[in-house]
């Protein structure tokens, strides 16, 4: 979108992978670019922003967001504080009794059942709320727990267990048909976009299950244009994407230059929280090794088709067996792209990732939720989980994100997790796999190496130096987690102003 020329006065540039001028400098921004950097630049009649010695970094990106689901969490019942099915049922029953609406659907989010002492059942929900639809979405979004009323309204077979993986992903688009299940997302989008701007976010890769190409073609004309979007497609939309002639990097119709075509997204396996991530060894105490959501043959064919039509690929792989299968498909198809999550890895596959040029799109804040569950279900594998240090050292290109709503859309939280690897008073988990603040910031800026003439005017002013030298990862993590963002600019336009 068009922005007025702007001068930033007295900013200190953060050296993200490249040297930066010492001390405070001025910057002239015009036509969405940095056009001049120097000491005491002459007044060109531009609008003035006084940075007052604050630190200037390239704008932050979240490379894995489910934006509609993230927006919907604002109106969903929080059931994350649950350690067993009874806890969830208690929260749902209390909400139902307190609600004066007897017809709208209760939609909750956040339970994580893999570590529970007992599996949840539909029968429990039916006893708690027999006459009103209930839909509960797991914190990893890989399974859903519905009562019988909701199952009937959706014309789904009655069952007594939650629905997971491909069968659950097929249900997601049906939820809008339930009464009150999905309110108009426009106001919710406005709220989450304001919050993203307040965190310094200038861009996302949207991995939403519905067509994010169509969504952003609708949202941007409504003024929801305060960040850049790479809009993905899933396999169900691949033919339509090809028919529309959209290649990765192309402008999305209606996106006003703010939305471009992103990758083909494929979910190759499940998740740790649903005990469906595809692993080489069985989960401790269980016979399962996880779930393969797409066969190796189907995956290879899809990637070859995508490559032939100019699309990159983003392939979800959380378990080590899934990562090996996905890297085989990248090798045999020759496509460019990323493994999404890469949570549990065979070290040999890190070497292969580097050799193939496959990026690692990682979500470090998820280790906060997965630390204890990993030790329970993947004992002895802490040194192979979230292997950020090993990937950086091997030359794998890191791109960081949140997978919101699985973790909050907050790059500072992700950076803190990557640097400190602990969310409580315990020491770092897998400390040898921690990376430095500089490496974490570099993985959050979409490849932008500091701010210089010619840089995009997608910029963030922060209250402290995010690379302040410290040998204490806890101190560094706290500084990142609590970083104050004074201003966010997208294309030179101020979208957040706390100066």
């Amino acid at each position: 979108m068009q922005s007025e020329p702007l001068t930033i006065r007295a900013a200190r540039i953060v050296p993200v992978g490249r040297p930066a001028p010492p001390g405070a400098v001025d910057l002239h921004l015009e036509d969405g670019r940095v056009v001049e950097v120097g000491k005491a630049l002459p007044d060109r009649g531009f609008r003035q922003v006084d940075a007052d010695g604050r630190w200037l970094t390239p704008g932050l990106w979240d490379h894995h967001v489910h934006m509609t689901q993230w927006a919907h969490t604002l109106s969903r019942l929080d059931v994350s504080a649950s350690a067993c099915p009874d806890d969830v049922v208690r929260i749902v029953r209390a909400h139902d009794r307190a609600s004066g609406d007897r017809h709208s659907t209760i939609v909750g989010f956040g339970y994580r059942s893999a570590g529970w002492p007992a599996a949840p059942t539909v029968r429990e929900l039916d006893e708690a709320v027999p006459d009103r639809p209930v839909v509960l979405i797991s914190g990893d979004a890989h399974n859903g727990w519905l009562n019988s009323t909701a199952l009937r309204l959706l014309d789904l077979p009655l069952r007594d267990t939650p629905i997971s993986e491909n069968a659950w992903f097929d249900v997601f688009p049906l939820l809008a048909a339930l009464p009150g299940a999905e309110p108009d997302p426009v106001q919710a989008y406005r709220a989450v976009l304001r919050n993203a701007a307040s965190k310094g976010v200038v861009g996302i890769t949207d991995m939403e299950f519905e067509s994010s190409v169509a969504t952003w073609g609708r949202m941007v004309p409504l003024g929801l244009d305060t960040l850049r979007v790479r809009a993905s497609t899933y396999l169900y939309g691949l033919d339509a994407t090809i028919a529309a002639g959209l290649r990765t990097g192309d402008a999305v119709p209606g996106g006003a230059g703010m939305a471009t075509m992103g990758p083909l997204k494929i979910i190759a396996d499940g998740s740790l929280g649903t005990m469906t991530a595809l692993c080489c060894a069985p989960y401790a105490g269980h016979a399962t090794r996880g779930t393969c959501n797409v066969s190796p043959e189907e995956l290879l064919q899809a990637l070859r088709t995508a490559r032939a039509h100019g699309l990159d690929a983003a392939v979800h792989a959380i378990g080590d067996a899934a990562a090996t299968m996905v890297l085989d498909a990248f090798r045999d198809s020759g496509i460019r792209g990323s493994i999404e999550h890469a949570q549990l890895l065979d070290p040999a596959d890190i070497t292969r990732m580097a050799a193939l040029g496959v990026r690692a799109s990682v979500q470090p804040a998820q280790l906060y939720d997965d630390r204890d569950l990993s030790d329970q279900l993947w004992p002895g594998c802490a040194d192979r989980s979230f292997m950020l240090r090993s990937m950086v050292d091997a030359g794998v290109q890191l791109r960081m994100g949140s997978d919101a709503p699985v973790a909050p859309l907050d790059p500072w939280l992700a950076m803190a997790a990557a640097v400190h690897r602990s969310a409580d008073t315990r020491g770092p988990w897998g400390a040898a796999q921690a990376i430095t603040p500089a490496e974490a910031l570099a993985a959050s800026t979409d490849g932008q190496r500091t701010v210089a003439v010619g840089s995009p005017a997608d910029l963030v002013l922060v209250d402290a130096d995010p690379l302040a030298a410290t040998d204490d990862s806890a101190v560094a993590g706290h500084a990142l987690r609590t970083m104050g963002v004074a201003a966010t600019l997208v294309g030179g336009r101020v979208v957040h102003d706390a100066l």
Side-chain angles (χ1 to χ4, degrees):
M1 305 296 267
Q2 198 66 29
S3 61
E4 63 180 324
L6 189 72
T7 296
I8 299 176
R9 297 286 185 191
R12 290 182 284 183
I13 296 176
V14 178
V16 187
R18 258 175 53 186
V25 296
D26 299 339
L27 302 93
H28 288 321
L29 314 180
E30 194 169 11
D31 296 328
R33 292 276 166 183
V34 177
V35 296
E36 195 171 0
V37 178
K39 303 276 188 180
L41 292 179
D43 189 345
R44 295 176 59 176
F46 294 175
R47 177 189 169 192
Q48 305 278 313
V49 170
D50 184 5
D52 194 24
R54 290 180 175 85
W55 295 86
L56 187 69
T57 80
L60 305 180
W61 275 71
D62 188 314
H63 289 276
H64 191 127
V65 177
H66 297 266
M67 201 60 169
T68 298
Q69 298 305 313
W70 176 232
H72 280 323
T73 58
L74 298 181
S75 59
R76 287 175 174 165
L77 179 64
D78 184 359
V79 294
S80 59
S82 52
C84 62
D86 286 348
D87 288 347
V88 177
V89 169
R90 206 160 28 243
I91 295 169
V92 171
R93 182 185 289 114
H95 177 81
D96 178 54
R97 289 175 176 172
S99 172
D101 184 351
R102 305 306 309 155
H103 303 289
S104 65
T105 306
I106 296 174
V107 183
F109 175 81
Y111 72 89
R112 299 175 184 273
S113 57
W116 286 355
T121 65
V122 172
R123 182 175 61 258
E124 293 167 287
L125 282 186
D126 288 347
E127 291 171 356
V129 185
D131 56 354
R132 181 180 181 185
V134 178
V135 176
L136 305 178
I137 301 167
S138 65
D140 58 21
H142 277 252
N143 73 84
W145 182 12
L146 285 63
N147 71 352
S148 294
T149 301
L151 291 169
R152 290 190 189 95
L153 287 174
L154 293 172
D155 291 326
L156 297 173
L158 294 181
R159 54 188 295 141
D160 198 40
T161 58
I163 308 169
S164 65
E165 298 307 328
N166 286 339
W168 170 238
F169 300 143
D170 289 342
V171 172
F172 256 115
L174 306 179
L175 297 181
L178 294 173
E182 293 190 353
D184 182 354
V186 173
Q187 291 307 313
Y189 261 66
R190 292 192 194 283
V192 294
L193 288 181
R194 282 194 300 270
N195 184 259
S198 76
K199 302 294 186 183
V201 176
V202 302
I204 63 168
T205 301
D206 193 359
M207 304 291 194
E208 189 51 72
F209 300 113
E210 65 184 348
S211 172
S212 55
V213 171
T215 295
W216 289 102
R218 293 193 307 269
M219 294 297 182
V220 170
L222 296 175
L224 297 164
D225 59 355
T226 55
L227 50 66
R228 302 188 188 279
V229 179
R230 294 186 183 122
S232 68
T233 184
Y234 283 73
L235 282 172
Y236 74 85
L238 180 57
D239 288 345
T241 301
I242 291 170
L246 287 173
R247 304 165 70 90
T248 295
D250 287 352
V252 165
M258 297 299 292
T260 57
M261 187 67 219
L264 168 67
K265 171 72 185 299
I266 299 175
I267 303 176
D269 72 336
S271 69
L272 172 63
T274 300
M275 227 159 48
T276 47
L278 186 65
C279 300
C280 294
Y283 288 72
H286 301 269
T288 183
R289 294 195 303 112
T291 300
C292 188
N293 286 328
V294 58
S295 73
E297 296 76 20
E298 291 169 329
L299 176 60
L300 178 57
Q301 182 56 51
L303 296 189
R304 283 174 170 165
T305 299
R307 183 191 179 204
H309 291 90
L311 292 170
D312 290 352
V315 187
H316 165 122
I318 288 182
D320 52 357
T324 297
M325 178 184 77
V326 169
L327 284 173
D328 288 346
F330 269 102
R331 178 199 63 204
D332 295 342
S333 67
I335 199 168
R336 299 184 308 175
S338 61
I339 289 186
E340 302 295 314
H341 311 303
Q343 185 166 335
L344 182 68
L345 291 171
D346 180 333
D349 278 339
I350 293 177
T351 303
R352 291 212 296 158
M353 288 176 71
L356 291 168
V358 175
R359 296 187 302 276
S361 174
V362 295
Q363 299 73 40
Q366 291 185 20
L367 69 81
Y368 292 153
D369 290 314
D370 285 354
R371 173 178 185 165
D372 293 329
L373 196 57
S374 294
D375 286 341
Q376 176 185 339
L377 297 176
W378 295 341
C381 293
D383 61 335
R384 296 200 292 118
S385 298
F386 298 95
M387 298 179 71
L388 308 185
R389 174 82 270 145
S390 294
M391 287 190 275
V392 169
D393 288 349
V396 175
Q397 188 179 96
L398 284 190
R399 288 291 182 263
M400 296 206 319
S402 63
D403 199 13
V406 179
L409 202 172
D410 183 350
W412 301 105
L413 184 66
M415 285 186 260
V419 168
H420 182 214
R421 297 179 72 97
S422 180
D424 50 40
T425 57
R426 292 179 292 178
W429 181 64
Q433 291 298 336
I435 58 176
T436 67
E439 291 162 339
L441 182 60
S444 305
T445 57
D446 200 41
Q448 294 299 315
R449 298 304 200 195
T450 199
V451 179
V453 172
S455 297
D458 298 345
L459 306 169
V460 183
L461 270 175
V462 293
D463 293 336
D465 179 5
L467 308 186
T470 176
D471 294 328
D472 189 327
S473 67
V475 172
H478 177 75
L480 291 167
R481 191 164 47 249
T482 58
M483 183 64 65
V485 174
T488 304
L489 292 81
V490 176
R493 181 167 48 118
V494 179
V495 298
H496 168 71
D497 186 355
L499 289 166

